[in-house]
Amino acid sequence: MKAPELGIRIGRYEHGRRNSIADLGVRVGHSTLIEGDDIRTGVTVLLPPVENPYRERLFAGVYTFNGFSKPIGFTQIEELGYIETPVALTSTLNGYKVADALVTLWAEENPKAVSVNPVVMECNDGYLNDNRKRPVGEMHVFEAVKKASLDFQEGSVGAGTGMSAFEFKGGIGSSSRVVEIGGEEYTVASLVLSNFGKREDLMIAGAPVGWELRDYPGRGLSMGGSISIVLATDAPLSSRQLTRLARRAVLGLARTGSYGHHGSGDIVLAFSTAQTVPGGKEVQSIGFLPDDALNRLFMGAADSTEEAIINSLLQARTMRGRKGRIRYALPVERVIEILERYGRLERD
């Protein structure tokens, strides 16, 4: 169950119909690898709602909060302000193989093109997974693309298979918010790959859940960890404005208990589905909202990211991995009891 279904309300705005990045038409697919005692990894691919991302480029912006990370493709986005491939999430050392697979997909669909900028974001799942084996290959990326759907699983799946968050089982989570600006409704949504945090730091809806659960079993190798965040919106924004939006996701991250520890890679990609980047050599025109109209989108980005992180915990399942290590699922009944005690639940 996601946070709203349990009575956990984050922020003032309502979520979209699916309460996920799929509310923007973004399809998500996973390939999950669970092999033997030490392979717990995978890949997750996000397909923007265009037929060919290379020919129908979407405006984008990126932000690096803490740079202990190895994203692929961020430099060109910073320079040119658009994405031109699907976006992939995976384990750190699989990133280069996943990027190569995205190039293969691009080459098949664009036989006359000569260069491309694949986008891959990563977190290190080495607590449960032997990431040195790098098992994710082309076939797994192709599988994730083939399975991509508006109705996708969250939690311990795809890139989230081996991830940990607050010394519980982490992984994939998503949420959306609908805001009104100038009489028009716009949606902003977040999808996260959560793999960070110390147990006692976990906050849910402002309650110190992690501190209350600090003695719950399964602790160990509590590191700074990392998180990869993808924001999507149907609001017409320029690449500069999308970079501003990406920065606000970190506010939602902070509210869950992140302090940006040394060794943490906290990175954000934001893109808009509202319009494609014009082509041709003549002067082009695009539309975008004025900067002073963006506050509600900023709030939506922070709130949807905060909830997406909580959703990644709520939907992950207990998993045993390398060296017999276990990451337990967040004990939902205990969490509900704590939130009720702190007056943080909304009941019908």
Side-chain angles (χ1 to χ4, degrees):
M1 299 179 72
K2 289 194 172 187
E5 298 166 278
L6 295 171
I8 303 170
R9 184 177 181 88
I10 294 173
R12 70 179 67 170
Y13 297 118
E14 297 299 324
H15 55 73
R17 186 168 68 87
R18 287 187 169 89
N19 192 20
S20 78
I21 202 167
D23 287 322
L24 281 309
V26 178
R27 292 180 292 131
V28 178
H30 307 291
S31 179
T32 300
L33 281 74
I34 299 177
E35 300 172 359
D37 297 327
D38 58 354
I39 297 299
R40 304 288 185 273
T41 193
V43 60
T44 296
V45 178
L46 287 70
L47 302 183
V50 294
E51 185 175 343
N52 185 317
Y54 184 76
R55 294 196 297 266
E56 303 169 85
R57 295 162 173 152
L58 298 177
F59 287 101
V62 293
Y63 175 60
T64 300
F65 172 60
N66 205 0
F68 206 103
S69 186
K70 292 87 178 163
I72 297 172
F74 271 33
T75 303
Q76 182 171 304
I77 297 173
E78 289 175 338
E79 185 69 21
L80 299 182
Y82 57 73
I83 56 173
E84 57 186 19
T85 70
V87 177
L89 307 172
T90 191
S91 171
T92 301
L93 296 183
N94 288 319
Y96 314 102
K97 299 174 72 175
V98 170
D100 186 70
L102 290 180
V103 172
T104 299
L105 285 171
W106 158 82
E108 291 174 351
E109 296 177 357
N110 303 277
K112 295 183 179 180
V114 295
S115 180
V116 71
N117 183 51
V119 179
V120 182
M121 302 163 71
E122 52 76 32
C123 293
N124 191 326
D125 55 12
Y127 185 75
L128 293 176
N129 173 60
D130 186 352
N131 60 359
R132 290 174 60 91
K133 291 187 175 180
R134 303 193 300 152
V136 176
E138 255 189 17
M139 61 179 290
H140 303 109
V141 178
F142 297 166
E143 177 189 13
V145 170
K146 184 177 181 180
K147 289 182 176 179
S149 170
L150 295 177
D151 297 308
F152 59 91
Q153 188 178 348
E154 300 177 31
S156 310
V157 64
T161 302
M163 302 297 172
S164 306
F166 298 102
E167 297 172 83
F168 290 109
K169 188 66 189 70
I172 298 292
S174 193
S175 182
S176 66
R177 292 295 184 274
V178 179
V179 303
E180 184 272 327
I181 301 174
E184 297 288 337
E185 282 193 344
Y186 298 105
T187 299
V188 58
S190 179
L191 183 142
V192 305
L193 178 62
S194 66
N195 187 59
F196 70 97
K198 295 183 178 181
R199 172 74 59 80
E200 57 267 29
D201 294 337
L202 172 61
M203 301 286 290
I204 297 180
V209 171
W211 179 256
E212 296 277 355
L213 295 175
R214 61 192 182 278
D215 296 325
Y216 195 84
R219 301 200 65 167
L221 250 69
S222 174
M223 301 178 292
S226 299
I227 185 168
S228 293
I229 303 170
V230 181
L231 292 176
T233 183
D234 56 5
L237 302 181
S238 67
S239 58
R240 176 186 61 81
Q241 292 173 322
L242 287 160
T243 299
R244 298 187 69 201
L245 189 72
R247 293 191 185 107
R248 272 61 181 188
V250 176
L251 301 176
L253 169 64
R255 293 201 300 249
T256 66
S258 170
Y259 294 92
H261 290 90
H262 174 72
S264 176
D266 308 324
I267 57 174
V268 190
L269 165 71
F271 66 89
S272 171
T273 64
Q275 56 195 334
T276 57
V277 179
K281 297 180 179 180
E282 68 277 7
V283 175
Q284 300 289 336
S285 297
I286 61 171
F288 52 88
L289 294 174
D291 283 346
D292 60 8
L294 301 184
N295 286 333
R296 292 182 180 181
L297 286 172
F298 290 163
M299 293 172 66
D303 292 345
S304 62
T305 298
E306 180 182 1
E307 188 190 315
I309 294 167
I310 302 308
N311 287 339
S312 75
L313 287 159
L314 290 172
Q315 299 193 93
R317 297 184 177 183
T318 297
M319 183 166 292
R320 182 186 297 270
R322 65 188 294 255
K323 299 183 178 180
R325 295 169 178 166
I326 299 177
R327 282 298 193 216
Y328 289 101
L330 188 70
V332 176
E333 292 184 359
R334 290 278 305 276
V335 171
I336 294 301
E337 182 272 324
I338 293 166
L339 294 176
E340 285 181 333
R341 182 153 36 90
Y342 280 86
R344 302 296 187 183
L345 286 185
E346 288 190 357
R347 296 298 195 186
D348 294 332

